[in-house]
Every structure is written in C-alpha cells, then in structure tokens.
Amino acid sequence: MNLALKDIRHGLFRFVLTCFGLGLLMTVVLAMIGIYNGLVSDALAVVKAPAADVWVVEAGTQGPFAEASSIPADTRNAVARMPGVAEAGAINYQNIEAPFQGRTLRLYVIGYERGRPGGPQTIVAGRGIGTSHFELVADRKTGLAPGDTIRLGRNHFTVVGLVEGAMNSGGDPAVFMALADAMDLQTELAPADQRVQVARGGGAVKSASVAAVIVRVTPGADVSLLTATLRQWKHLAALTQAEQETILLASVVDKARRQIGLFLGILLTVSAVVIALIIYTMTMEKLKQIATLKLIGAPDRTIVGLIVQQALILGASGWGIGLVLILLVKDVFPRRVVLEPFNVGVLAAIIFVVCLAASGLGVRAALKVDPATALGS
Amino acid sequence: MALGDVLVEVQGLAKHFGDGETRVDALRSVDLLVRAGEVIALLGPSGSGKTTLLNMIGCILDPSAGRVALDGDPVFDGKWLRNDLRRLRLDKIGFIFQAHNLLPFLTAEENVAVVLDLAGWPAEKGRARARELLDYLEVGHRAKVKPALLSGGEAQRVAIARALANRPRIILADEPTAALDSSRAQLVMDLLRKLAAEQEACIITVTHDEKIFDRFDRLIHLRDGHLVDA
C-alpha cells in the first residue's frame, strides 16, 4: 500500500496547486537557463555563420565583435594570395535603426562580398542577393518578408530572402547586404550634413575600410603558421575561429552571462528553500498520523518513504509543469530561449537532490515524533 | 468465564520524570497480571498514572524500573530486552484510541488493511481480512468510505477492526467510549468482550466512563502512581 500516493490523492487539489506553484518557479528557472543559452548561442551565431578559419582584423584590437576594427578593404586581395588560403572575403558589421511600417527596427547590418565567405548560410525563404546593390537578406525575426522595401540610410533596399538564427550578441536580428552598400551606409552623410561638408570644401567623406577579412584555409593548411605570418604585418592582427569565439564570450557576453548565472543560482536556492518549506509543512500537518503509524508498528522506512516519495513526486511534478510551460511560452520572449535536453536533465538532477535534502528536514521531524502523541485526544 | 494464559505480567513497574527537586513519580512499583479473555479497566483521577501504565505496557514509554512480560515473552527487565519494539507492537498489541486516529487519507478498509500491509501480508489477503472484520463489526457497507464521512460509532468500530486486524492478544484502549453515547458505549464494550473471548485476547482499558464499568471483569484503581485496589 503506497501511503504517499494515497495521501496525495486525498488532498489532490491542494497538492496540484502546490505543484503548479512550484512548476511556475521551475518555469522561471528554465527560462533563465534558456535565456543564458540563448545569449551564448546568439553571440556565437554571428561568429560561426561565416564558417571562417581565421579572422584578419585591425592590429591591437580583439576583432569586430569586441571593439571597433577597421582595416583597408583591399587587405582581402593581399590575404587571398597567401599560401594556404582557400578563400577570403571582406566583411563589415554595424548596428542601425530604421523605420518600417510605423515601427522602428533595430538591425545588425552585415556587409559581405558576394561569392565570398561571410554571406548568409541557409536561405529559408526567397533567394540570396543577386545584384550588386540595394538588395538584402533579412533574419526572420526582423519581421521583414521577401518583397518588402525598407529605407536604410539614403537608399531603399528590397528584401529578397530570409534566414533564421542570424543575430548579434545583443539579440538584434541581422540583415545581409552587399559590402559596397554596407560601406556606403556606414560612411554616407545625411543630405544636410553633406551640404555643410561641401560648403566647407571637404567634399564627400568616404572611407574604404572594412571590419575584418574572413579566411578559409585549404585542407591541411597550418592555421597557426598562417596567423603568425599575418601578425607580422604591423597593421593587422589575426585570430583563429576558436580565439574569436573565446574573445566574444569572455569580453562581450561575459557580464551578462555571469549575471544570469548568479540569478539562476539565487533562483535555485529560493526553489530549494520553497521545496523544503512545503515538505516540512506537509510533514508537520501529518505528525499525529505519523505518530499513529509508529504506534501501530510502522517501521521508520515506511515513514521516511511517505515523506521522501511525496517530496520527489512534488519535485518531479514541478519540474514537468515547468518544462511544459516554458516550451509553451519560450517563443514569446523577446530574446531567444534555447533549452538543451542536457540542461533539462541537469535541472531534474538538481531538483532530485534538492528534494532529497529538503525532505531531510521533514524526515527528521517525523522520526522524532513520539508514538505516544497518538494517544492524546 | 475460564481464563487462559497470562498475557500481561508487570512486576514492580515504576516511572519517574525528572530528578532531584523536580522529580515526579508517575508510577510506583505496580504489579499486574492480566490473562487471556480478561477485560479490565484502569481507573483513577487525572495524574494517577493510568496512561503511563498503559504506555509502558504498550512499549511506547521507557519504565524507570521493574519487569514487563507480554504473551509470555519478557520484554523489559531494567532495560528493553528487544530492539524491535515496533514489530513487537505490530505483532502482539492492538491500540484503540479515544479519537479513533484513523488515517484520513485511507478508506475504512485501507485503515484496517494498513496494519496487515505493515505486517507483510499479501495485499489481497490483507484486504479480504479487513473486509471480514468490517463485516463482522457491521461496518462492511462503509468499507470504501473515508473516515471524515463515518459517524462516531462507525469510526470507532473501524478503529477496533484495525486493532484486531493482525490478531494481537493484547488490546490497549484509551478512553474508547468517551466520544460515544451511553447505548453505543455499551455496545462497543460488549463487542470488545466478545472479541476478547473469541481471539483469546485481553483488553486493558483506561476509562472514566462509569456507564460501562459493569462490562469489565476487573476495575483497577490507581492513585498517585499506586495501585490502590484491584
């Protein structure tokens, strides 16, 4: 006879409400884990997208994701001729805000050279950029659709295709355009400013610089030798893909990551305290029944089983409800919520341990109950 | 009625709480012999030691001195002679409480069967025995009902069924009729007497209920921890 299940069934409504409350807490915990993963995943997405082996950036900088990097656009030609380089492409990154259909879109503009590394990986709708100017491929999260036209800077761009999962570490969805358009967007002055500049005799301001050159090496090429050679050029620095990812995580998203990690720790602590209190309260309410069970001969394992099983059922239900809820609402979050089976499994293991530890308090109280307590009226 | 084996044998049983100036002697050198088939009452004012004696016979309170033997087995002689007192209670002693103490999350049938489950009976056999007892006590029709929906008399009969489930030979009852009216109280006592005879058990009852005094074989009076009249 399973006394734990019988007791749960007896007070089912209350138990379900308790599980639901715990489930909401677990939803928040899972959301924080998902946001944490999303942050890392988003940050790495833009670095991983070009499938580069080496990033050539401005000397003395950590690359375009950690700080401003500006190198001459023709660096690509020099790099492409180096031994071991299979492909090279100049690339540019910038954030921009643009009005579209009554709202303001914050976009992460990636300028790349058509036919070279740095462009969108997989087009999920429409097509890739087919002309030299005024076309763009947007991430689906921008809300843009193929055929839409949007004004960026002084020009109008037509959306020709969509991609998914392309965004910067701040969660801004990316748009891909031709490098020349991206450079114009970066350097062109507004008409009024342009007139002032001309009146001052300065002419138009144009800078032919890009943020980085992406390199893919030939099979079997020595990447470390290539980066060492590139570093000998005084105005350039070279980072391997792994170094670029490490820099991004260590310098760009590190604070946010630690903050979320700390918050997650606090949430798990709160969850542990809440579970302990619930189980302790459930046990204290049953002290007379536990005394009766002891009096009629129930061994300690029956009493411990009653409490621990209820604690585990409570934890498992809370975890299950939390998982279902987060799966239902994760797409509503403004930032991507990424839940891996591993994370969900680890949380289950943590809850299991927390429930066992939390039930210790209740078990201790139950085992101390004098069976003679049952004899009082 | 012919009396059988000695089921409860108490010699020089004493209990004190505290030491020195705070010492309280709850029970002082009590001797008691109860045989199979006997139904006895422990009487006395509050603080006289009735419940203390009942608890020590029930192996739920440590005596300070003396000897206790249950169903022929010595269980206390200056110290407990067995480590498994709960198993001893499960096998040899049945308890009936004033407040019934039925587990609220179990049905009447389950409340009886839980004792057999703890004793290691197969579930089906335990349920059959529980039904048999409930039918015998004329509450079989309430077997699937939770205690909250039972009347006082029904609950008490379920509690008696639970106390008898594992066929214990010693039944300890603490004010079993306190919550019942006069006629029901006498019916319960008649039932207990009948069961004691049938199962060759003894029943030791703590009571203040004068209405049922005539249902006991012996009235044992306690005062200030002494057995004053048996």
Side-chain angles (χ1 to χ4, degrees):
Chain A
M1 190 181 297
N2 191 310
L3 297 177
L5 288 178
K6 298 271 181 194
D7 187 36
I8 287 171
R9 216 173 294 156
H10 180 63
L12 190 61
F13 181 68
R14 189 177 161 197
F15 190 82
V16 167
L17 272 186
T18 308
C19 288
F20 189 71
L22 191 62
L24 290 177
L25 197 59
M26 290 300 112
T27 307
V28 179
V29 172
L30 285 165
M32 291 312 295
I33 295 172
I35 290 169
Y36 175 92
N37 285 341
L39 187 75
V40 173
S41 172
D42 289 353
L44 290 178
V46 74
V47 182
K48 285 181 171 171
D53 295 311
V54 175
W55 292 73
V56 182
V57 299
E58 184 182 344
T61 72
Q62 302 261 49
F65 306 109
E67 54 187 318
S69 166
S70 181
I71 57 175
D74 59 4
T75 302
R76 189 256 300 159
N77 294 327
V79 171
R81 285 194 292 270
M82 292 187 70
V85 173
E87 290 179 280
I91 198 160
N92 219 352
Y93 299 102
Q94 61 188 300
N95 271 101
I96 190 168
E97 291 203 352
F100 178 72
Q101 292 180 352
R103 60 199 169 102
T104 302
L105 299 182
R106 186 171 169 80
L107 305 170
Y108 188 56
V109 177
I110 301 173
Y112 73 102
E113 295 179 281
R114 280 196 305 136
R116 294 184 180 278
Q121 290 288 296
T122 309
I123 307 288
V124 294
R127 59 170 174 83
I129 293 172
T131 62
S132 302
H133 290 289
F134 312 131
E135 285 187 350
L136 60 81
V137 170
D139 184 86
R140 198 186 283 282
K141 281 214 165 179
T142 57
L144 298 169
D148 284 345
T149 301
I150 183 170
R151 182 180 170 139
L152 300 176
R154 299 174 67 178
N155 299 309
H156 286 83
F157 288 78
T158 303
V159 180
V160 295
L162 295 179
V163 292
E164 284 180 343
M167 62 198 68
N168 68 0
S169 60
D172 303 324
V175 292
F176 293 85
M177 64 173 62
L179 181 66
D181 287 344
M183 290 169 70
D184 282 348
L185 193 60
Q186 195 168 28
T187 56
E188 272 179 352
L189 293 173
D193 296 331
Q194 185 77 46
R195 284 194 296 274
V196 170
Q197 190 69 15
V198 170
R200 289 166 64 189
V205 179
K206 282 252 182 180
S207 165
S209 68
V210 295
V213 171
I214 291 166
V215 176
R216 288 184 191 148
V217 300
T218 52
D222 187 344
V223 173
S224 58
L225 180 65
L226 179 63
T227 53
T229 308
L230 284 165
R231 282 179 195 131
Q232 287 175 355
W233 296 359
K234 300 298 181 194
H235 66 297
L236 298 179
L239 302 164
T240 63
Q241 175 69 17
E243 286 170 338
Q244 185 64 270
E245 289 179 17
T246 306
I247 287 167
L248 188 72
L249 291 180
S251 62
V252 182
V253 295
D254 183 56
K255 272 187 190 162
R257 203 167 61 143
R258 274 190 289 153
Q259 184 149 321
I260 292 175
L262 188 66
F263 191 46
L264 190 58
I266 293 170
L267 268 178
L268 282 172
T269 308
V270 170
S271 305
V273 171
V274 168
I275 291 172
L277 275 176
I278 291 171
I279 293 164
Y280 185 70
T281 307
M282 280 164 59
T283 307
M284 294 308 281
E285 287 172 353
K286 280 197 286 283
L287 282 187
K288 182 129 188 184
Q289 294 156 33
I290 288 168
T292 303
L293 279 168
K294 283 182 166 185
L295 190 66
I296 62 177
D300 282 345
R301 67 172 183 279
T302 303
I303 312 290
V304 173
L306 171 69
I307 296 164
V308 172
Q309 282 175 52
Q310 287 191 343
L312 292 179
I313 291 169
L314 181 74
S317 305
W319 174 83
I321 291 169
L323 184 59
V324 169
L325 284 179
I326 194 62
L327 290 176
L328 288 175
V329 303
K330 74 183 175 70
D331 293 331
V332 179
F333 284 78
R335 298 254 356 207
R336 211 147 63 96
V337 175
V338 179
L339 275 175
E340 303 288 347
F342 173 75
N343 304 131
V344 177
V346 167
L347 182 64
I350 290 172
I351 291 172
F352 178 77
V353 173
V354 163
C355 285
L356 276 186
S359 58
L361 206 62
V363 166
R364 191 165 167 266
L367 293 183
K368 280 170 71 178
V369 174
D370 185 354
T373 313
L375 290 173
S377 56
Chain B
M1 183 177 88
L3 296 178
D5 308 334
V6 174
L7 295 182
V8 177
E9 186 177 2
V10 165
Q11 289 181 338
L13 202 62
K15 179 68 185 177
H16 67 258
F17 296 99
D19 277 310
E21 288 182 6
T22 60
R23 176 176 167 131
V24 176
D25 286 295
L27 208 65
R28 303 162 197 256
S29 194
V30 168
D31 295 332
L32 181 67
L33 210 68
V34 188
R35 291 180 178 279
E38 264 194 305
V39 180
I40 70 167
L42 297 178
L43 309 175
S46 290
S48 59
K50 308 182 296 293
T51 303
T52 303
L53 177 58
L54 196 77
N55 288 354
M56 288 193 291
I57 294 171
C59 305
I60 52 177
L61 183 65
D62 298 342
S64 302
R67 291 179 61 243
V68 179
L70 301 179
D71 199 11
D73 291 335
V75 294
F76 187 88
D77 189 359
K79 62 175 182 181
W80 291 111
L81 302 175
R82 290 178 57 157
N83 294 323
D84 55 343
L85 293 178
R86 284 193 212 170
R87 185 73 213 188
L88 179 80
R89 287 200 292 270
L90 187 60
D91 292 337
K92 292 188 183 291
I93 306 170
F95 290 91
I96 301 170
F97 312 96
Q98 177 183 345
H100 320 314
N101 285 29
L102 297 174
L103 299 173
F105 51 87
L106 300 181
T107 62
E109 182 183 292
E110 289 166 343
N111 260 287
V112 180
V114 71
V115 177
L116 302 169
D117 188 61
L118 293 171
W121 285 42
E124 276 310 306
K125 210 174 153 193
R127 283 185 183 277
R129 164 77 175 153
R131 282 305 289 258
E132 175 194 323
L133 276 167
L134 291 174
D135 286 340
Y136 182 79
L137 293 165
E138 296 174 3
V139 277
H141 63 292
R142 306 287 275 165
K144 300 294 178 194
V145 174
K146 295 264 177 77
L149 298 176
L150 296 173
S151 69
E154 287 171 337
Q156 189 60 294
R157 275 180 282 166
V158 174
I160 291 169
R162 180 177 65 184
L164 299 170
N166 200 26
R167 298 192 174 92
R169 299 197 69 196
I170 301 160
I171 294 162
L172 305 180
D174 186 23
E175 303 276 9
T177 58
L180 304 178
D181 59 42
S182 177
S183 59
R184 283 208 175 278
Q186 288 178 359
L187 280 173
V188 165
M189 284 314 301
D190 287 344
L191 187 62
L192 285 174
R193 286 191 65 83
K194 186 175 161 196
L195 291 167
E198 284 175 4
Q199 294 201 12
E200 295 188 340
C202 69
I203 297 176
I204 303 174
T205 305
V206 166
T207 186
H208 289 101
D209 193 351
E210 293 180 9
K211 304 183 292 283
I212 56 169
F213 282 180
D214 60 339
R215 267 31 184 204
F216 293 101
D217 298 318
R218 277 193 287 159
L219 301 177
I220 294 171
H221 293 268
L222 284 148
R223 186 169 301 140
D224 299 329
H226 289 289
L227 203 150
V228 292
D229 182 23

